[in-house]
Amino acid sequence: MKLYLSVDMEGITGLPDHTFVLAEKHNYNRARKIMTDETNYVIEAAMQSGCSEIVVNDSHSKMNNLLIDALHPEALLITGEGKPLSMMQGLDASYDGALFIGYHARAGQFGVMSHSMIHAVRNFYINDQPVGELGLNAYVAGYFEVPILMVAGDDQAVKEAEELIPNVTTATVKETISRSAVKSLTPQKAGELLSKRVQHALDRRNKVDPLAPPEKPVIKIEFNNYGQAEWASLMPGTILEAGTTIVRFEAKDILEAYQAMLVMVELALNATFSS
């Protein structure tokens, strides 16, 4: 069995706010260790359940957060930014399943550190369906016919996953109090929970179907201000919808839609005013 792990940071056990997930902040190095330890619990449980190959994709911010010298020795790590498929880099049809670890709720929703890729984004839509990082990533996996077997993170990320992916196994490691406060398991207890849930997910992997993406999807991004939308609409093929901050792109498939999203959010970061 070959597994793919996409590991984000905001949904990792015990992390309540931006001081844990931004590299320049004082809690970041503590959070890197917790993130790496949590990933190791998942890897070890997967190995104990018969997995022969595990590839881990560091999926947060600059995507160089996981401590490779402390990572489970049997795993392979994809690290660093500039990845053509970002949070789903390295995935292909050879995998038997994917697990999302440390995930969070989409932008504009109740949930610890909820957002969608960057804070300039108010909403992502695929064919008018609101989605977050979790949804977009699940659709990319579906393109390769890889099922999402488990999602771990805060309670609101888990809720989002259960609404989107039938029969997905979930693991709630912390409960949202506000966008910057949580009631969390300790790392040891979270590790015990994750180990059990990984085993459960792999035991029932045949009950989860890949999330099939729509053909020729239309991706729309609603930005927080008009300047961000203007920058994003510089990408060829986009349309800035009149009277809104929504930029739309008609894609040939979900991979093109995903990469269009990556380009648009990078362009939006050039906007110099916040309102």
Side-chain angles (χ1 to χ4, degrees), residues 148 161-168 207-209 211:
I148 307 303
E162 291 172 344
E163 291 173 350
L164 185 68
I165 307 166
N167 298 320
V168 67
K207 297 183 181 297
V208 185
D209 293 324
L211 187 66

Side-chain angles (χ1 to χ4, degrees), residues 232-240 247-250 260 264:
S233 68
L234 293 177
M235 191 184 85
T238 59
I239 296 172
L240 175 51
V247 182
R248 61 183 285 141
F249 179 79
E250 297 182 9
M264 285 190 276

